Amino acid sequence: MPKNCNFIEKLREVGLRPTKQRIKMCEVLYNREKTFHFTINDLVKMISEKMNEKISLATVYNTVHAFEKKGYLKEISIDSHKSYFDTNTSAHHHFFDEDTHELIDCDESDIDKINIRKNITGKKINSVEVLVRVASDNQNQK
Amino acid sequence: MPKNCNFIEKLREVGLRPTKQRIKMCEVLYNREKTFHFTINDLVKMISEKMNEKISLATVYNTVHAFEKKGYLKEISIDSHKSYFDTNTSAHHHFFDEDTHELIDCDESDIDKINIRKNITGKKINSVEVLVRVASDNQNQK
DNA sequence: AATCTACATTATAATAATTCTAAACTATTG
DNA sequence: CAATAGTTTAGAATTATTATAATGTAGATT
Ligand SMILES: [Mn+2]
Ligand SMILES: [Mn+2]
Ligand SMILES: [Zn+2]
Ligand SMILES: [Zn+2]
């Protein structure tokens, strides 16, 4: 998946102009072994480090939302005060470490399939996601 | 549970001074048949309507957070741009209607018990919550 | 009941996250 | 290369939330 992917192609395919900012953002986001979670500020820092030039905060916001709309990114709600994004756009569950504020992906085998018995008339289910909040176990003093 | 509960007592018991603002807030929040979900702005409006006087936004924020700390309220994360609170403080799952932005409680029978197989060393599970996003089913045109 | 004191409320300012604006820039098309 | 539509940018605006500091009040002490 990584290597030196052709992000220009990828961007064109979905109708986004391959500007140097977007290509750089693609490299930061997708040119890696594993998917990851980030906040906008994380991303601005990562991009700025990889580029000599600065990147405008507005561009990062705009582009993240453009990517989100195209299905390249997914927004995760764990904290009502900050947006977390995920380069893993598949349906999956999360652990959230309340000590470190770190998000951890679950894979298929970690949580049994969720069985929903409730049905809301006229509505279809778009997603079913589990959030498991964890924190350090400070009751080891038996 | 409703009736004309003694909120003064309740507040005293946990060490909160029963000020008229807090008593009014208790009435708005708990003097009703069913639990409900709200945003800070919802709550400010509801309180203002029930009181002749205005209530300070800062007081609503402070008191909501005081209540949250005491376990009277629970914060729900569905949208990274706004805080939702819940007077149902028990562990429960939600449906979120993406059309109306309405939160709907699930009860025990709606979703089978979640079985978590993953374990993070040194961490204990604080909560396991499911969020089911629904939206209007616009594929009725067979 | 008058006084005291710690805690609360308030209006307002400050901060933080996000979005908007409008001018300058650039990728693509012809 | 010019024209054009889409993009980036700095900075202003907006929104949600938190901090500040003066004023008010509940509950205790006299
Ligand atoms: Mn967003
Ligand atoms: Mn909060
Ligand atoms: Zn993830
Ligand atoms: Zn609820």
Side-chain angles (χ1 to χ4, degrees):
Chain A
M1 201 167 291
K3 302 175 183 178
N4 217 341
C5 309
N6 195 341
F7 294 123
I8 294 179
E9 284 291 308
K10 187 178 179 181
L11 287 168
R12 279 225 182 83
E13 271 168 22
V14 292
L16 291 176
R17 282 189 181 172
T19 62
K20 70 169 185 247
Q21 291 85 352
R22 282 178 178 157
I23 293 164
K24 187 57 66 178
M25 193 170 300
C26 282
E27 286 171 7
V28 170
L29 292 174
Y30 306 111
N31 214 4
R32 55 175 70 220
E33 288 301 326
K34 294 184 171 191
T35 61
F36 74 115
H37 308 101
F38 61 92
T39 65
I40 295 286
N41 276 342
D42 294 339
L43 187 56
V44 170
K45 275 182 208 145
M46 295 169 91
I47 295 169
S48 296
E49 282 167 14
K50 275 224 171 182
M51 293 212 294
N52 303 342
E53 318 157 54
K54 290 273 149 277
I55 187 169
S56 162
L57 183 60
T59 297
V60 176
Y61 271 103
N62 293 342
T63 307
V64 162
H65 285 131
F67 281 5
E68 188 186 4
K69 192 174 299 174
K70 295 299 177 182
Y72 287 8
L73 287 176
K74 192 172 152 177
E75 189 168 2
I76 309 290
S77 296
I78 0 95
D79 184 318
S80 306
H81 306 301
K82 209 182 296 183
S83 285
Y84 284 72
F85 292 88
D86 199 339
T87 61
N88 178 356
T89 57
S90 70
H92 63 285
H93 307 305
H94 289 98
F95 276 65
F96 182 64
D97 186 328
E98 297 188 319
D99 301 320
T100 63
H101 281 199
E102 188 190 6
L103 264 180
I104 302 158
D105 277 358
C106 292
D107 58 38
E108 292 289 331
S109 59
D110 291 331
I111 296 182
D112 290 344
K113 183 153 189 319
I114 310 299
N115 186 24
I116 313 265
R117 296 204 152 84
K118 191 186 182 79
N119 181 37
I120 298 184
T121 39
K123 303 283 174 176
K124 69 170 194 308
I125 290 177
N126 279 344
S127 68
V128 177
E129 295 194 357
V130 179
L131 182 64
V132 181
R133 290 175 188 272
V134 301
S136 76
D137 187 0
N138 285 325
Q139 42 194 23
N140 295 355
Q141 55 267 313
K142 196 172 288 177
Chain B
M1 204 167 288
K3 303 174 182 178
N4 217 342
C5 309
N6 195 342
F7 294 125
I8 295 178
E9 284 292 305
K10 188 178 177 180
L11 288 167
R12 278 220 184 89
E13 271 167 22
V14 293
L16 290 177
R17 283 189 181 173
T19 61
K20 69 169 186 248
Q21 290 84 354
R22 282 179 178 157
I23 293 164
K24 186 58 66 177
M25 193 170 299
C26 281
E27 285 171 9
V28 170
L29 292 175
Y30 307 110
N31 214 5
R32 55 175 70 221
E33 287 301 327
K34 293 183 173 193
T35 61
F36 74 114
H37 307 101
F38 62 91
T39 64
I40 295 286
N41 276 341
D42 295 338
L43 187 56
V44 170
K45 276 182 207 146
M46 296 169 92
I47 295 169
S48 296
E49 282 167 13
K50 276 224 170 183
M51 293 213 292
N52 304 342
E53 319 157 52
K54 290 273 149 277
I55 188 170
S56 162
L57 183 60
T59 297
V60 177
Y61 271 104
N62 292 341
T63 307
V64 162
H65 285 131
F67 283 5
E68 188 186 4
K69 192 174 300 174
K70 296 298 176 182
Y72 288 7
L73 289 176
K74 192 172 152 178
E75 190 168 2
I76 309 289
S77 297
I78 0 95
D79 184 318
S80 306
H81 307 301
K82 209 181 295 182
S83 284
Y84 284 72
F85 292 88
D86 198 339
T87 61
N88 178 355
T89 57
S90 69
H92 63 286
H93 307 306
H94 291 97
F95 277 65
F96 183 63
D97 186 328
E98 296 188 319
D99 302 319
T100 63
H101 281 199
E102 188 190 5
L103 263 180
I104 302 158
D105 278 357
C106 292
D107 59 38
E108 292 289 331
S109 59
D110 291 331
I111 296 182
D112 290 342
K113 183 154 189 317
I114 310 300
N115 187 24
I116 313 264
R117 294 204 155 83
K118 192 186 181 78
N119 182 37
I120 298 184
T121 40
K123 303 283 175 176
K124 69 170 195 307
I125 291 177
N126 279 344
S127 69
V128 177
E129 295 193 357
V130 179
L131 183 64
V132 181
R133 290 175 188 271
V134 301
S136 75
D137 186 1
N138 285 326
Q139 40 192 25
N140 295 355
Q141 54 267 310
K142 199 170 288 178

